[in-house]
Amino acid sequence: IELVIALTLSVVIVVILLAAMRLAYKSQAKGAEKIDMAQKIRLLEARVTWLLRGAYPYYVKKTDEERIFFRGESDQIGFVTTSVDSYGKGAEDLAGLKWVSFFVDREGLQMREKVFFLEDVFEDDGGKVYLLDPEVKTLELEYYDIPEDEKEGDWVSEWDPEDKTYLPEAVKFTITLEQEGKPLVLPEIIVRI
């Protein structure tokens, strides 16, 4: 009887230890997943913020019009920036100013860079395209507009370069990822220009 009791207690202790080890492994995997997600958010936010804070109000002046090189739609944005990669070897980085646009397609969140004075930047082709994150499914943008003669502003969903002659005060990014078949909305990124 003592041997049966000792074996039973040993089996119970081993089962409890195995369950605790399994729980610890799952917790470690979830923790690593959360760390990876936080790192991804930080990298996206840092890249977007760095480029947008360098937004430059570059104008095209023709005889009958003046147009700013900043286009914002509800799902994509394009602008001239002074934030260039000092280690870059491409013409986009050597020029000192470049056109950058962010958009989402079936491949994920992408960034296009162009030399703004060599190409028609408002066309959605040409330049170099970089895949920033394949898990991004949607990108929603809003622009904080304070008209020149007013003190208060409002968030708008589009920034038309033919109607506006100035840059927005800030841009709000809302990014939705897909993880394990479920949508995950990231915290809003608001970048003041």
Side-chain angles (χ1 to χ4, degrees):
I1 290 180
E2 289 177 3
L3 185 61
V4 170
I5 292 173
L7 284 174
T8 304
L9 287 175
S10 298
V11 169
V12 168
I13 291 172
V14 167
V15 167
I16 291 172
L17 287 174
L18 288 175
M21 288 175 53
R22 184 174 176 206
L23 183 63
Y25 178 75
K26 284 185 176 182
S27 295
Q28 179 191 14
K30 280 189 175 184
E33 187 178 301
K34 286 183 180 183
I35 289 171
D36 287 345
M37 180 59 67
Q39 181 68 11
K40 179 186 293 194
I41 292 168
R42 276 194 300 274
L43 288 173
L44 281 174
E45 181 178 12
R47 184 71 172 175
V48 167
T49 300
W50 175 67
L51 288 167
L52 258 173
R53 287 209 174 131
Y56 184 77
Y58 186 82
Y59 295 91
V60 174
K61 295 181 182 180
K62 295 183 179 176
T63 55
D64 59 343
E65 75 171 323
E66 183 175 271
R67 186 176 185 188
I68 192 165
F69 271 38
F70 188 100
R71 180 182 69 186
E73 298 175 14
S74 62
D75 61 349
Q76 64 181 4
I77 185 173
F79 53 94
V80 172
T81 185
T82 60
S83 300
V84 293
D85 184 2
S86 59
Y87 298 107
K89 303 279 188 225
E92 297 84 5
D93 295 312
L94 298 176
L97 292 173
K98 64 183 171 184
W99 173 263
V100 175
S101 59
F102 292 98
F103 60 94
V104 173
D105 65 6
R106 59 181 168 71
E107 294 179 25
L109 178 63
Q110 300 205 39
M111 179 180 79
R112 176 176 281 124
E113 292 182 343
K114 295 182 182 183
V115 178
F116 68 94
F117 50 81
L118 293 180
E119 305 177 50
D120 184 1
V121 294
F122 293 108
E123 295 294 323
D124 291 333
D125 59 356
K128 291 183 181 177
V129 178
Y130 303 95
L131 179 63
L132 297 179
D133 193 333
E135 293 181 339
V136 173
K137 297 303 173 194
T138 63
L139 173 64
E140 296 174 26
L141 297 157
E142 291 184 73
Y143 311 91
Y144 195 66
D145 183 17
I146 300 178
E148 294 174 357
D149 55 345
E150 296 183 22
K151 294 181 182 180
E152 296 278 331
D154 205 10
W155 289 102
V156 295
S157 62
E158 291 193 10
W159 198 270
D160 189 356
E162 295 179 9
D163 294 339
K164 308 284 187 185
T165 59
Y166 53 93
L167 295 176
E169 292 291 317
V171 179
K172 183 189 317 181
F173 284 77
T174 305
I175 297 172
T176 304
L177 301 173
E178 185 174 310
Q179 282 201 325
E180 299 173 5
K182 297 177 184 175
L184 174 65
V185 179
L186 300 182
E188 292 176 343
I189 301 171
I190 298 176
V191 180
R192 185 167 184 193
I193 296 178

